[in-house]
Amino acid sequence: MSGQSITDRITAAQHSVTGSAISKTVCKATTHEVMGPKKKHLDYLIQCTNEMNVNIPQLADTLFERTTNTSWVVVFKSLTTTHHLMVYGNERFIQYLASRNTLFNLSNFLDKSGLQGYDMSTFIRRYSRYLNEKAVSYRQVAFDFTKVKRGSDGVMRTINTEKLLKTIPIIQNQMDVLLDFNVNANELTNGVINAAFMLLFKDAIRLFAAYNEGIINLLEKYFDMKKVQCKEGLDIYKKFLTRMTRISEFLKVAEQVGIDRGDIPDLSQAPSSLLDALEQHLASLEGKKVKDSTAASRASTLSNAVSSLANTGISFTKADEREKQAALEEEQARLKALKRLKELQKNPAAVSTESSPIATVGGTMSSAPAIDLFSTPNVLGGILKPTVASSPNQSMTPNGQQPHKLVSTDLDSSLANLVGNLGIGNGTAKNDLHWSQPGEKKLTGGTNWQPKTAPSTTWNPATMVGLAPVCFYPPTNLLSLHP
């Protein structure tokens, strides 16, 4: 069983009738099944954000509407789907969310249906607050910190002092709300919250990398700042040290739940002497008596601190690049599989003798299912069309080639070809099937009982051409069914 509820099926059917493919896909991505949204539905919605004729406000409103459901599963999956589109969808999706005055209003959400509902409701409230803050951050700076260019020529390394002091607190707020998700490894007990945690984990890596580069820029400018700016900068740096401890705890949870150690970045803290040097410099600007320190010692301390933070930045960037490379390889494998499918549709005779009814999609092996000719095919961009996969037990022709495959998008021609494959109308069955009447059984029905044989029926194959396939049953002794 798929695990979908009756409500899920009815809702999807309603959208099928109205012709709203986007609404139907949103409902399928946010069913009552206790598992993360399916990749095929997320991929379809991502593609929708890239289509200029798609109504982004309508897509977002459909997701918002799903969060009004009473089930924690539906609401949690709606948030996860929204987060996924904010990260991987076209930028105009997050732009629209940032333009709204209000997003998710789930601060009082509570599913009282069971103990799990109570537990998950807590994380739903925290998760929705993060998505709201992510949209607000975009509104304030007009870009996504998780997607901003990084490196020595990146945004956070090149902005001026005034803008830097205004931007870093925005990153701090977003980082605080993300870390407030505050989940332990033993609380990641189902596929729904696991899917949300993975998105938060990826956001945390990219967000902290931008945060770290902003701090490096701050330290490089600190000793040239004015007194008011130094005071503000020192407060920002102290908060950064606190958040570095919290992100370290977050990464430990990620390691405990099975995320590969190579995908978890290493943190390198700046020497404690740096904080002392920053405080001494501010005290000197305020006219307080401080320890004598040479410019050389101060420069050395600053250099060591910047080097440590730079190593942290490199580690976070590498972890992010590995995740991007894995996603790229998966996408290439999927495109390769789709290209192969199109080739088979255009020229089925080109299939090699070594081909089998096993399709490789996204790096996994799956058996090709039989096609229901009377069902509506799931078409994605016109690529997928109904085909009939060959059976492993299908007989081979003398030259080693598989028999002709049924490849057609027209129902009438498909049925005609199927009749031809069954050998109806030409007197020859391709599978060499011969029907024969079963032998009479010796049954006893009393002293005066005599066996009776049902009249035989002669089929005229010529009258069957062009008709839909039917099942033929040989003449049978009807009384033999009842001993």
Side-chain angles (χ1 to χ4, degrees), residues 24 27 33 65 78 114 139 157 163 251 254-255 362 364 377 396 398 402 466 481:
K24 179 181 179 181
C27 291
E33 296 173 279
E65 182 181 355
S78 302
R139 181 192 309 165
R157 291 290 296 273
K163 193 171 183 179
L251 296 178
E255 186 176 358
T364 60
M396 304 295 291
Q402 292 183 354
L481 300 177

Side-chain angles (χ1 to χ4, degrees), residues 61 116 127 185 204 208-209 241 282 313 349 357 375 384 389 403 449 469:
D61 288 341
Q116 191 176 36
Y127 193 27
F208 192 84
L241 296 179
L282 177 60
S375 65
L384 302 181
W449 179 85

Side-chain angles (χ1 to χ4, degrees), residues 162-227:
E162 291 76 12
K163 193 171 183 179
L164 179 66
L165 293 175
K166 293 179 180 178
T167 304
I168 293 182
I170 298 175
I171 302 181
Q172 286 178 338
N173 290 337
Q174 187 174 341
M175 178 62 69
D176 285 346
V177 179
L178 188 154
L179 296 176
D180 283 344
F181 192 71
N182 195 27
V183 65
N184 297 321
N186 58 1
E187 293 173 315
L188 297 172
T189 56
N190 60 75
V192 181
I193 190 174
N194 289 349
F197 179 78
M198 285 303 301
L199 288 172
L200 289 172
F201 170 73
K202 295 173 183 178
D203 263 18
I205 289 178
R206 298 165 184 168
L207 186 61
F208 192 84
Y211 188 15
N212 185 73
E213 290 191 347
I215 295 299
I216 293 176
N217 189 7
L218 174 69
L219 294 176
E220 292 174 339
K221 291 179 167 62
Y222 183 82
F223 293 101
D224 297 323
M225 291 179 181
K226 300 176 183 179
K227 181 175 67 174

Side-chain angles (χ1 to χ4, degrees), residues 30-41:
T30 58
T31 61
H32 289 77
E33 296 173 279
V34 185
M35 58 182 292
K38 293 181 180 179
K39 185 177 184 302
K40 63 180 180 180
H41 299 142

Side-chain angles (χ1 to χ4, degrees), residues 1-14 31-32:
M1 296 180 63
S2 63
Q4 295 184 15
S5 68
I6 297 297
T7 303
D8 294 331
R9 297 178 184 275
I10 292 176
T11 305
Q14 289 174 340
T31 61
H32 289 77

